[in-house]
Each structure stands twice: as structure tokens, then as C-alpha cells.
Amino acid sequence: MNKLFFSSWVNLLHINSNLIKFVMQERKSKRMVVRSYFIFFLGAVLFLSSCSTKKKVLGSNAHSSNGSVLTDASSARGKNFSGSRLDNYADLMSVSAKKLNPQLYSFIDDWMGIPHRMGGQTKSGVDCSGFVNLLYIEVYKGNLPRTSRDMEGIVKRKKVDKLEEGDLVFFSFGRNGIDHVGVYLHNNKFVHVSTRKGVIISDLSDSWYAKTFVDAGSPKI
């Protein structure tokens, strides 16, 4: 009788021990599942936030989507552009924002910093005449010749002090005549595609552009 009772008691303890182990394993498994979900959720949040940060950084450096202005004009050195996009462009050129064509500067802002690529006409790379062509189609609804030299052949020539926003400015960087074109903005500033810096705003008064400047005028379109 005692042996039977003792044996039953041992078996019961064994069953209880296994049951406890099972319950503990279940609890541990659930904790692991919960922990896995938490780690996954945390990882997803960090990933999304890192993508967001990356987009902001790219926007800041490649384009002016954060309101910055890309320029190599000597008159802009040390300037801090902290206003709205249009106000920043107005500040760079020392004019009232009311004098600016919002559609023009929206286009410039969208292309700012796009790299130079000979023969290119996309945001993976664009050359000077390709950029001017796209700008005129988008902003002024007009078509221009494909090359800077041919563009120069259809302009009504103007002196620099008579230039207006949207006029074309031409340069000769080599020995074969006109080989570069940009779009005049205000107060000697113009937008163009630099071979080293991409789409950028420069100043006709700066020495490099002053000595290579050839002609300017309004295109007949």
C-alpha cells in the first residue's frame, strides 16, 4: 500500500514537473515571439526613419528642396539662405520676390545640382543647351535650337545692362566660338550647367565668366 502510494506520488510529481516545464517553455516561447515582434517593429521604425533622413540629406546636397540655393557667385559667399525658396533666390539677386517668375524658379529649383553630361537632357545628367531647351519648353512654352551656337543665331542681341529675366547669355570657353549658354536672371546672375558643379547660379561679373562672355539677347520664339 505504502509502495503503491509512494509510486503514485512520484509519478504525480513527475507529471507536475513536466507540466511546469511545458508551461515555462510556453511562456518562454511567447516571450520570444513578443520579443521578435518588438525587434522587427523597432527595426522597421529605424529603417524608415533612416530612409527619411537620407532623403533629406540628398535633397539638401543634390537639389535645393530644403530651400537652399546652389551658387558659386562671389557676391554670395558667406550668405545664409534661410527664407522660403523664392525669397532665397530674391535674396541672392538682391531683388524683390515679386519680380521673380515663380514657374522659372520652381524649374530651376527642381534641377538644381543635376550633374553635367555631354548630350544629356535628363536628370541623370544634362548639358548646357539641353538644360536651356528644357527650361524654355517648360517655362516659356517655346522651342530653341539644340546647340548653344545655333541658339545664339536666333537672339535679338542686347547689352548686359539691358538684359531681362529669361534672356540667354553665351560664352566661349575654347577656341571654336560659342560653346556655352545660360539663362539670365537678375543683377548679373544667370543659371547654367557647370561641367564640375552641375546646374548652378553664377555671376557674369566674376572673372572667369566676365572674360569668357561673348553675347546675350532675347531668343525669337
Side-chain angles (χ1 to χ4, degrees), residues 63 111 113-118 120-127 134:
H63 306 291
W111 282 78
I114 295 297
H116 174 270
R117 182 168 66 85
M118 186 62 69
Q121 209 166 359
T122 70
K123 287 186 177 179
S124 63
V126 65
D127 63 17
L134 291 168

Side-chain angles (χ1 to χ4, degrees), residues 8-43:
S8 298
W9 184 75
V10 169
N11 289 336
L12 183 60
L13 285 178
H14 182 69
I15 291 171
N16 286 337
S17 174
N18 288 338
L19 181 60
I20 291 170
K21 287 181 180 180
F22 174 78
V23 171
M24 293 297 292
Q25 287 176 351
E26 283 295 302
R27 288 181 178 178
K28 184 177 180 181
S29 177
K30 286 180 180 179
R31 284 198 300 269
M32 290 180 66
V33 169
V34 171
R35 184 180 296 176
S36 297
Y37 275 117
F38 176 77
I39 292 172
F40 175 80
F41 175 76
L42 181 61

Side-chain angles (χ1 to χ4, degrees), residues 39-58:
I39 292 172
F40 175 80
F41 175 76
L42 181 61
V45 170
L46 291 173
F47 174 77
L48 290 174
S49 63
S50 67
C51 287
S52 176
T53 302
K54 187 176 181 181
K55 287 179 181 178
K56 289 179 182 178
V57 171
L58 287 173

Side-chain angles (χ1 to χ4, degrees), residues 24-203:
M24 293 297 292
Q25 287 176 351
E26 283 295 302
R27 288 181 178 178
K28 184 177 180 181
S29 177
K30 286 180 180 179
R31 284 198 300 269
M32 290 180 66
V33 169
V34 171
R35 184 180 296 176
S36 297
Y37 275 117
F38 176 77
I39 292 172
F40 175 80
F41 175 76
L42 181 61
V45 170
L46 291 173
F47 174 77
L48 290 174
S49 63
S50 67
C51 287
S52 176
T53 302
K54 187 176 181 181
K55 287 179 181 178
K56 289 179 182 178
V57 171
L58 287 173
S60 172
N61 293 333
H63 306 291
S64 58
S65 59
N66 68 339
S68 64
V69 176
L70 302 183
T71 178
D72 60 1
S74 59
S75 59
R77 288 172 189 162
K79 268 198 172 186
N80 180 27
F81 300 103
S82 57
S84 68
R85 294 182 189 182
L86 204 59
D87 286 338
N88 285 340
Y89 288 109
D91 186 26
L92 170 63
M93 295 175 285
S94 302
V95 297
S96 168
K98 294 179 180 179
K99 290 188 175 182
L100 306 184
N101 178 346
Q103 191 175 2
L104 171 61
Y105 294 91
S106 177
F107 179 89
I108 292 171
D109 196 69
D110 195 38
W111 282 78
M112 191 72 82
I114 295 297
H116 174 270
R117 182 168 66 85
M118 186 62 69
Q121 209 166 359
T122 70
K123 287 186 177 179
S124 63
V126 65
D127 63 17
C128 65
S129 56
F131 172 73
V132 172
N133 261 286
L134 291 168
L135 185 152
Y136 257 77
I137 291 170
E138 179 71 22
V139 179
Y140 299 110
K141 314 305 178 187
N143 292 299
L144 297 175
R146 181 60 179 87
T147 69
S148 56
R149 187 173 302 177
D150 288 340
M151 287 180 189
E152 195 267 344
I154 66 161
V155 298
K156 180 181 179 181
R157 288 166 178 76
K158 291 182 177 180
K159 293 182 179 180
V160 172
D161 61 355
K162 300 296 182 183
L163 291 175
E164 298 175 300
E165 185 182 82
D167 286 341
L168 302 183
V169 288
F170 300 94
F171 305 84
S172 177
F173 295 156
R175 298 180 180 179
N176 298 316
I178 290 170
D179 53 17
H180 191 67
V181 61
V183 176
Y184 188 80
L185 301 174
H186 291 272
N187 288 334
N188 289 328
K189 305 298 189 297
F190 67 101
V191 63
H192 67 126
V193 184
S194 164
T195 53
R196 290 190 303 167
K197 301 175 182 179
V199 177
I200 195 169
I201 293 176
S202 300
D203 195 319

